[in-house]
Amino acid sequence: MTTDDTNTKPVRDDFTPSTKAKLALRANYRCSYTGCGIATSGPSDEGAERSISIGEAAHITAAAPGGERYDPEMTPAQRKHISNGIWMCKIHARLVDVDASAYPVTKLHNMKIEHEARIKLEMTGLRPGPKVFDFIAIGPSVVFVGELVAIEQKIWSFRVEHFVIGDLTELITYIEQFDAIDSYDKFVLVNELGDGRELSNAPSWAKSGDNCLISVPITASVPKIDVNRLPMDLALGDDHDLLFVNGGIARVSGLDALPQKIKTCLSMSQGESWFAPSFGTRIREYTVDFFGSPWLPRLIKLEVIRMAAIPYSDSLGISPPVPPLRCVRIVKAIDQIDSKGQDGWFKFRFQLDIEGLGEWTSEIPIFISRDL
Ligand SMILES: [Zn+2]
């Protein structure tokens, strides 16, 4: 007995390898999604001849019945034609499918046309590289890619490109319940500025055409302390344990104490400390969905900004609230250096602007537990 496969499995009109390669080349191997533009291929840590790719030739109208934006009127040849493809990073390829109603065929065609036009202008030197929008966080549950449109003394305003964590409904809930929210969760963090603020009042939002605009009322920035005045601390060795020198526990202070201060502060996960459950970072939580992606360092940058700019007061309220990394003025850049790690410690490069010192770069390991 023979079975006819075509009766059970829909035929997919996939792109040929040659069509995929042409799409990638035309897009300069960068994501075509408006505002993304991320490089989708690059060197791998696995070896000098290895590379990694996070790009996809996405179908504008689906390759098979049941897929998003499937058009039964099209012939198989039209479905697998280059004109039906758009080059995107994996995150955006998925986004345009799971939220298909927000991305109709014409919108995707326009994104592709605009992206290719931009690449053409860059190649002829008529225009600099793309402006890549970075992450903005409002409170603990909303992170979006967006553009800073205005900075006033008491209000920062943004245009939302798209949400990365949470959505507009989540933001509206945050606004409605603002008065009841723990004051430690009332913050805005902006990667582009390398800085953040506490909120003085609930954010507000408005739709303007296709755009969502958000304004946040902010408090004044917290005074920083000179790094040279960092108090004496027990020194930690390369094994992340107490360092003994000449039979005694070594101590560090000032600038020497800064790397381990950053290391211990960022390695502590929120919820880990029994007596200070709200203290700590969300880095471990972020690694669940984002480990190995270019978005992890951007999310970690948000957390470093939070530790540098948002005052924390312990639950007993004994000491006045201060940010744990109070000598950090601006978080300039965070890059992940190794992806393999050593016993859960992963190296990152920190480029910071430090009070009393100026620009400072250091490679510091962070402990990220990957078992959940
Ligand atoms: Zn993308």
Side-chain angles (χ1 to χ4, degrees), residues 31-33 36-38 40 88-93 162 295:
C31 176
S32 309
Y33 188 96
C36 181
I38 200 162
T40 61
M88 284 190 173
C89 70
K90 285 190 186 333
I91 293 243
H92 287 123
H162 65 95
W295 297 276

Side-chain angles (χ1 to χ4, degrees), residues 104-239:
V105 172
T106 45
K107 188 162 181 171
L108 295 180
H109 274 300
N110 286 340
M111 269 189 194
K112 179 182 177 183
I113 291 166
E114 280 168 24
H115 182 71
E116 290 187 349
R118 218 168 13 238
I119 298 297
K120 203 172 193 174
L121 285 175
E122 279 180 43
M123 281 190 74
T124 48
L126 291 173
R127 187 153 147 181
K131 178 172 165 47
V132 174
F133 299 126
D134 211 335
F135 287 6
I136 296 157
I138 296 179
S141 315
V142 173
V143 176
F144 60 93
V145 172
E147 186 181 17
L148 192 57
V149 288
I151 301 188
E152 289 155 64
Q153 203 185 356
K154 290 181 176 163
I155 291 185
W156 288 354
S157 307
F158 313 100
R159 185 182 61 76
V160 179
E161 191 63 45
H162 65 95
F163 288 90
V164 178
I165 295 172
D167 51 20
L168 186 57
T169 315
E170 187 94 45
L171 180 74
I172 293 170
T173 310
Y174 181 79
I175 292 169
E176 285 171 353
Q177 299 178 351
F178 189 77
D179 290 338
I181 291 170
D182 185 334
S183 63
Y184 191 47
D185 286 337
K186 295 177 177 176
F187 58 77
V188 56
L189 314 167
V190 185
N191 272 1
E192 191 183 341
L193 298 174
D195 202 1
R197 292 284 189 279
E198 286 180 285
L199 302 183
S200 62
N201 223 322
S204 57
W205 70 280
K207 277 257 177 211
S208 156
D210 262 355
N211 291 316
C212 175
L213 303 172
I214 301 175
S215 292
V216 294
I218 51 161
T219 60
S221 76
V222 180
K224 304 294 178 183
I225 60 158
D226 193 308
V227 66
N228 300 301
R229 286 177 45 218
L230 275 187
M232 187 81 83
D233 204 350
L234 301 177
L236 301 178
D238 287 339
D239 59 354

Side-chain angles (χ1 to χ4, degrees), residues 28-31 36-42 52-55 87 89 132 294-295 298:
N28 189 234
Y29 281 90
R30 290 210 306 252
C31 176
C36 181
I38 200 162
T40 61
S41 68
I52 46 169
S53 167
I54 55 158
W87 189 257
C89 70
V132 174
W295 297 276
R298 295 198 202 176

